[in-house]
Amino acid sequence: MYRKYLNMFSIAVAIIATVVIIHNGCQQSKDLVSGDVAEKVYVKPGTYDDFYLFTSGGFSGQVGVYGLPSGRLFRVIPVFSQDPEKAWGYSEESKPMFMTSYGFVPWDDAHHPKLSQTDGIADGRWLFINGNNTPRIARVDLATFRTAEIIEIPNSGGNHGSPFLTENTEYVVASTRFSVPIPNKDVPLNSYKENFKGTISFIKVAKEGAMNVEFQILVPGFNYDLAHGGKGPSHGWAFFTSYNTEQANTLLEVNASQNDKDFIAAVNWKKAEEYVKQGKYKTFSANYFRNYFDEKKHMAFSEKKSDVKILIPSECPGLIYYLPTPKSPHGVDVDPTGEYIAAGGKLAAIIPVHSFSKMMKAIENKEFDGDVDGIPILKYESVMAGEVINPGLGPLHTEFDDAGYGYTSSFISSEIVKWKIGTWEVVDRIPTYYSIGHLCIPGGDTKKPWGKYVIALNKITKDRYLPTGPELTQSAQLFDISGEKMKLLLDFPTIGEPHYAQAIPSDIVMKNSRKIFPIEENANPYSIKAEKDARVVRNGNVVHVYMSTIRTHFAPDNIEGIRVGDEVYFHVTNLEQDWDIPHGFAVKGANNSELLIMPGSTETLKWLPAQEGVYPFYCTDFCSALHQEMQGYIRVSPKGSNVELAWHTGK
Amino acid sequence: MNSKSKVILITASLILILTFFFPLWSIDLEAPQYPEGIGLRIWINQITGLKPNDLNNINGLNHYIGMKEIVPDAIPELKIMPYIIIFMIIFGLVSALAGKRFLVYAWIALFIILAAIGLYDFYMWEYDYGHNLNPHAAIKIHGMVYQPPLIGSKMLLNFNAISLPNISFYILFFTVVLAVIALILDRRTNK
């Protein structure tokens, strides 16, 4: 009897011990990092990283610039969100960049950075990124690391599937996440099926970068999710995922998850160009803005647009085909050869891979399975090249290396799964911490992947870093993919929420990096080229201060004769022509921000003095040994005062 | 004078034209904050920076210690030197064509005298810039002067100033060497 209890007791102890050992073992095994890892990510002080990594800031609206393999953050490029540090959206020069048909929009949700390409290879000229909420696309100039242009996308409910590229950056594309009435109007929400439509936009990119919404395609009212341009043989085509083919307008988590297959829209954009040339488009009136930053004038301009060309698929045969794709596909990724199109069926148990050549054959043989609004649906079996079985739960996105493998992020099972193109077999998998969204391989969505690393972009970090209250950092994780097995090298925190990211060898970008703006080329109407031109000009209650900075003083640094109720514009030109010598400008009580003026450029701060008194201003960027002496005073007199307008430096 | 020597002398004269295309002297400044380098290039007719804007940036740095601004247009030597070079080219050609040894001796002697004057003048110019400091300068260190060395290097506060002859100086030197060779060859054939 006792013996029996003793046995049971022993068994229980054994079970508990096993559980404890396994549990502790699991805790430890989550960091399977071996000894030589530190060496692989250590970038010696004073030496450069091998790659630039550009991560989207997600809800921060900006772009993070990191080095790989170190994971060091170099810069946050302000794009869609105001940034008082850089006066982005606060200086008079940059305000027009935020103009939309809804007025000044100071924030957006930036998801997908995309490096410009030449012949299908990242060329390091520009970085495009989408604004998801108020549909926009930005172009960042990688010589200045400044946002050079922001274009609003008309007839879009949300710009998620964007900004993906064609092989030579002929176009950036955009597809609407939300279908909406087009043109937008006041309709009952339950009239979705009748009134709601989607659009796919092709934005032409001129040689020097200027964007223009060349044409849009009116498509059935689904949710359009992500996209990728074809390359090589599939150049001339672009692929867009869609979900909610159920056309639900409420409780989408259930109602949009019913169909076994949704669609990838394959768009023949060369054909679309022909139709546009033949005049087979309808001109819709539309209200949208293109904002661009003039490099020579150091200021932004807004251009209002009033119409857009729209193609209707039923009137343009051969323009779009639907590839049936299992279960609400998210990413659509084209392999380096341009033949295979992998979809991330986020609720599917497989990764379907379509074949471009089979698709072309199926189109030729009209292997259709009905149509939606005149868009033929190709037979799944006719276009499918293979299925990756057991790819993890919730496959989202695939990037490719230079050795014929695909790497898919699986959100729910929180892992990266490596599979072989052609045999579709899973060859390796590695956990991520935690809940990976996108992933990035340098050049991994181009014709020429540089390989070497895969970067996981994670949504959740929980216990990975020191806690910082309820909101924790999101993260990137760096894995070595040069061997057969993926190896975790490094975790590093990211700004905002990193969705997609792009990486490129450093030398391609750094050789173009600007050091200064030549002062003689500064065409800002309020710039001055020499200290002797510094002056203050009153025009009614508007006062223009033409100010210069050079180590280590402002000219003028004493200003009198400003009155309460004046509208004062400080136009500050940094006369420095030396690398890494910006000057700052901040004035007490300013309701906007500081200025941070790069060598050779001009920026303007608007100031509304509301109370009389003396106001100091000073340089905010530690510029030299006498930085702390770089300051000045403004005397503000009461309204109607007869204190004469006067200014000087050094008297 | 034999024809070989004449050809050498003509060559020696004509290579002086190259001094219009290369700097005569260089002053480089080394400091931790300037990993990309910063410096001056002194030509027979101008002063430039090692990189665009270097001259302005050096003037900007110098104002802290009260050094005068270097304004190339205000330096008379840079206006005179090109004429001296042209004169020496013509002098050399004339002495070669005339074939008179005493003219060549005179040419060489003049060269050496001019070079000595030039170096003395350069030293005095450096002395003036290094010593005549604005009494209101922000950084004043008792007893400190900022004269760069004529040749060699010297620490001036955080900067190591390195002053060295540049290509055009070596061209001048080579011209004199060629002239001497021409004379030696001529003497041998005369024997």
Side-chain angles (χ1 to χ4, degrees):
Chain A
M1 190 70 181
Y2 283 110
R3 210 188 179 93
K4 196 178 163 193
Y5 281 122
L6 199 67
N7 275 346
M8 278 176 69
F9 180 74
S10 319
I11 290 166
V13 167
I15 289 170
I16 289 164
T18 312
V19 166
V20 167
I21 288 164
I22 289 174
H23 180 75
N24 287 345
C26 282
Q27 287 273 317
Q28 283 160 1
S29 74
K30 81 180 183 186
D31 281 312
L32 279 174
V33 283
S34 50
D36 59 342
V37 155
E39 220 168 85
K40 289 194 166 159
V41 298
Y42 183 67
V43 176
K44 263 189 285 182
T47 59
Y48 292 130
D49 278 284
D50 297 334
F51 293 92
Y52 281 96
L53 175 72
F54 298 95
T55 65
S56 64
F59 42 65
S60 92
Q62 320 294 49
V63 167
V65 185
Y66 298 81
L68 292 179
S70 72
R72 295 179 294 187
L73 174 67
F74 304 139
R75 184 171 177 78
V76 176
I77 306 173
V79 183
F80 293 113
S81 295
Q82 280 181 293
D83 180 357
E85 172 191 318
K86 300 176 182 78
W88 185 246
Y90 292 100
S91 70
E92 294 305 302
E93 281 80 4
S94 64
K95 280 180 183 171
M97 293 302 281
F98 292 79
M99 198 56 202
T100 75
S101 58
Y102 306 92
F104 186 94
V105 175
W107 168 89
D108 216 309
D109 180 19
H111 280 230
H112 310 119
K114 184 80 186 172
L115 290 161
S116 58
Q117 296 184 4
T118 304
D119 194 26
I121 299 167
D123 58 26
R125 285 178 296 166
W126 307 306
L127 184 82
F128 297 92
I129 189 160
N130 61 325
N132 200 6
N133 181 51
T134 304
R136 286 175 284 178
I137 292 176
R139 179 173 56 86
V140 175
D141 186 328
L142 292 184
T144 55
F145 283 65
R146 182 169 63 194
T147 305
E149 189 177 1
I150 295 180
I151 191 166
E152 191 181 354
I153 311 298
N155 299 320
S156 174
N159 187 32
H160 190 268
S162 176
F164 297 91
L165 296 179
T166 58
E167 202 171 87
N168 293 298
T169 320
E170 294 96 339
Y171 294 97
V172 293
V173 301
S175 57
T176 181
R177 168 175 167 185
F178 302 96
S179 281
V180 285
I182 291 172
N184 211 345
K185 58 182 183 234
D186 171 20
V187 297
L189 298 179
N190 62 11
S191 70
Y192 188 105
K193 284 183 182 155
E194 177 195 337
N195 283 321
F196 288 42
K197 291 282 178 202
T199 53
I200 289 174
S201 309
F202 282 78
I203 295 100
K204 185 114 192 142
V205 182
K207 276 235 144 44
E208 78 290 356
M211 295 187 282
N212 177 49
V213 182
E214 198 74 0
F215 58 88
Q216 295 188 306
I217 304 170
L218 197 67
V219 285
F222 308 150
N223 287 36
Y224 293 84
D225 206 7
L226 280 158
H228 257 107
K231 45 174 100 81
S234 53
H235 178 57
W237 291 76
F239 305 93
F240 301 83
T241 46
S242 67
Y243 62 103
N244 192 23
T245 52
E246 297 87 346
Q247 301 195 294
N249 59 294
T250 182
L251 196 62
L252 265 65
E253 64 169 314
V254 173
N255 294 334
S257 304
Q258 297 306 308
N259 289 351
D260 273 346
K261 291 197 172 62
D262 298 279
F263 300 121
I264 288 174
V267 176
N268 184 342
W269 59 263
K270 293 252 179 175
K271 194 108 193 170
E273 283 181 331
E274 284 169 31
Y275 281 126
V276 170
K277 207 172 274 173
Q278 290 163 19
K280 289 208 169 158
Y281 57 81
K282 293 196 163 54
T283 304
F284 278 43
S285 67
N287 180 16
Y288 60 107
F289 280 82
R290 180 179 94 91
N291 313 313
Y292 62 97
F293 203 92
D294 185 314
E295 188 88 338
K296 294 278 185 285
K297 291 189 172 147
H298 297 271
M299 61 197 291
F301 294 89
S302 281
E303 219 175 73
K304 195 169 165 9
K305 305 267 193 175
S306 55
D307 56 44
V308 64
K309 297 182 177 99
I310 293 205
L311 294 171
I312 315 277
S314 59
E315 297 167 10
C316 301
L319 181 62
I320 308 189
Y321 296 92
Y322 275 145
L323 312 177
T325 304
K327 300 302 292 180
S328 302
H330 193 55
V332 52
D333 301 289
V334 182
D335 87 313
T337 67
E339 162 65 10
Y340 296 112
I341 303 140
K346 60 181 185 274
L347 306 177
I350 53 141
I351 300 169
V353 183
H354 298 298
S355 153
F356 179 72
S357 54
K358 283 182 81 174
M359 181 189 98
M360 293 308 281
K361 206 168 286 168
I363 290 170
E364 201 182 315
N365 299 335
K366 299 200 161 31
E367 291 168 47
F368 302 143
D369 211 351
D371 73 292
V372 184
D373 295 354
I375 299 171
I377 303 168
L378 292 158
K379 287 204 165 92
Y380 181 64
E381 296 72 25
S382 307
V383 294
M384 201 258 292
E387 290 174 341
V388 178
I389 308 295
N390 192 13
L393 301 172
L396 293 183
H397 304 281
T398 300
E399 293 261 299
F400 301 91
D401 70 6
D402 49 343
Y405 293 95
Y407 298 73
T408 300
S409 57
S410 291
F411 176 78
I412 299 170
S413 53
S414 198
E415 62 184 331
I416 297 174
V417 176
K418 177 181 176 182
W419 49 271
K420 191 163 175 56
I421 299 171
T423 69
W424 321 117
E425 61 182 325
V426 171
V427 296
D428 190 23
R429 56 206 319 150
I430 195 162
T432 63
Y433 306 100
Y434 305 95
S435 301
I436 181 175
H438 281 267
L439 76 178
C440 161
I441 291 174
D445 65 339
T446 71
K447 266 172 142 175
K448 188 189 156 190
W450 285 286
K452 207 164 174 181
Y453 304 114
V454 62
I455 299 103
L457 299 147
N458 300 321
K459 310 292 185 195
I460 292 172
T461 54
K462 295 216 163 155
D463 60 347
R464 299 294 287 185
Y465 299 95
L466 291 174
T468 53
E471 194 185 9
L472 301 170
T473 185
Q474 311 208 8
S475 86
Q477 286 188 291
L478 184 72
F479 298 88
D480 181 355
I481 56 166
S482 56
E484 234 170 75
K485 294 268 169 203
M486 293 179 273
K487 261 169 57 183
L488 175 62
L489 300 179
L490 183 71
D491 279 21
F492 57 96
T494 57
I495 62 147
E497 177 182 347
H499 290 265
Y500 197 27
Q502 293 259 281
I504 183 169
S506 311
D507 54 333
I508 298 175
V509 173
M510 64 183 284
K511 65 174 191 281
N512 299 326
S513 209
R514 292 284 291 269
K515 291 192 166 80
I516 58 162
F517 298 103
I519 185 75
E520 65 277 8
E521 289 174 14
N522 181 332
N524 186 297
Y526 297 103
S527 70
I528 54 176
K529 302 293 160 56
E531 204 169 300
K532 65 176 167 41
D533 301 323
R535 62 193 184 276
V536 182
V537 179
R538 174 181 285 283
N539 192 351
N541 72 329
V542 177
V543 178
H544 292 279
V545 180
Y546 296 77
M547 186 180 275
S548 72
T549 63
I550 194 148
R551 281 164 289 174
T552 328
H553 57 271
F554 293 98
D557 67 2
N558 276 218
I559 301 169
E560 300 196 350
I562 304 295
R563 301 175 200 137
V564 170
D566 279 351
E567 194 175 303
V568 183
Y569 292 90
F570 296 101
H571 308 289
V572 188
T573 300
N574 184 356
L575 296 176
E576 300 283 357
Q577 293 286 275
D578 204 353
W579 188 22
D580 203 9
I581 309 286
H583 287 294
F585 174 84
V587 59
K588 191 184 171 194
N591 293 117
N592 33 25
S593 77
E594 66 155 349
L595 294 175
L596 200 57
I597 313 121
M598 296 305 125
S601 78
T602 302
E603 291 201 37
T604 300
L605 193 76
K606 184 177 171 180
W607 185 57
L608 303 169
Q611 298 161 35
E612 62 183 74
V614 169
Y615 290 78
F617 61 91
Y618 71 103
C619 173
T620 54
D621 187 319
F622 207 110
C623 55
S624 75
L626 299 170
H627 160 73
Q628 210 65 354
E629 282 71 15
M630 191 163 174
Q631 64 167 53
Y633 288 109
I634 303 158
R635 175 181 170 191
V636 176
S637 305
K639 213 172 215 158
S641 147
N642 53 11
V643 173
E644 232 175 282
L645 196 63
W647 63 92
H648 63 81
T649 299
K651 269 175 209 161
Chain B
M1 186 173 271
N2 68 28
S3 55
K4 200 186 229 170
S5 293
K6 283 184 180 176
V7 170
I8 291 172
L9 280 173
I10 290 168
T11 311
S13 310
L14 291 182
I15 60 170
L16 287 176
I17 294 169
L18 293 175
T19 61
F20 284 85
F21 301 100
F22 297 101
L24 191 60
W25 215 269
S26 64
I27 298 175
D28 287 335
L29 301 173
E30 291 178 346
Q33 302 91 327
Y34 287 88
E36 74 276 26
I38 184 167
L40 293 178
R41 292 292 174 270
I42 298 153
W43 304 57
I44 58 169
N45 57 354
Q46 59 176 337
I47 295 177
T48 58
L50 169 62
K51 301 187 299 332
N53 301 312
D54 271 12
L55 177 60
N56 277 336
N57 290 332
I58 287 172
N59 280 332
L61 293 168
N62 286 351
H63 99 278
Y64 287 113
I65 47 174
M67 284 173 84
K68 273 189 288 189
E69 204 172 313
I70 300 169
V71 183
D73 285 349
I75 298 171
E77 287 89 335
L78 299 175
K79 299 218 164 55
I80 300 164
M81 259 196 293
Y83 292 106
I84 293 175
I85 297 290
I86 291 165
F87 173 77
M88 293 305 281
I89 292 169
I90 293 166
F91 195 156
L93 290 173
V94 168
S95 51
L97 295 174
K100 302 284 187 225
R101 290 180 62 88
F102 78 90
L103 279 178
V104 181
Y105 281 124
W107 192 47
I108 293 170
L110 189 55
F111 240 116
I112 291 165
I113 291 165
L114 286 173
I117 293 173
L119 287 174
Y120 175 73
D121 184 65
F122 181 45
Y123 175 85
M124 289 312 292
W125 180 77
E126 287 185 330
Y127 183 92
D128 179 48
Y129 273 89
H131 285 76
N132 287 334
L133 304 174
N134 183 343
H136 300 295
I139 299 172
K140 273 180 294 193
I141 297 170
H142 186 70
M144 183 73 190
V145 293
Y146 303 99
Q147 182 183 358
L150 190 62
I151 294 186
S153 66
K154 188 178 167 191
M155 278 307 288
L156 303 170
L157 299 185
N158 58 327
F159 282 98
N160 186 27
I162 303 162
S163 176
L164 289 171
N166 210 294
I167 294 170
S168 282
F169 183 85
Y170 296 113
I171 291 167
L172 295 176
F173 182 75
F174 193 52
T175 295
V176 175
V177 170
L178 281 179
V180 171
I181 289 170
L183 285 173
I184 292 167
L185 286 178
D186 184 54
R187 170 157 296 172
R188 275 196 194 148
T189 47
N190 282 352
K191 271 180 183 171

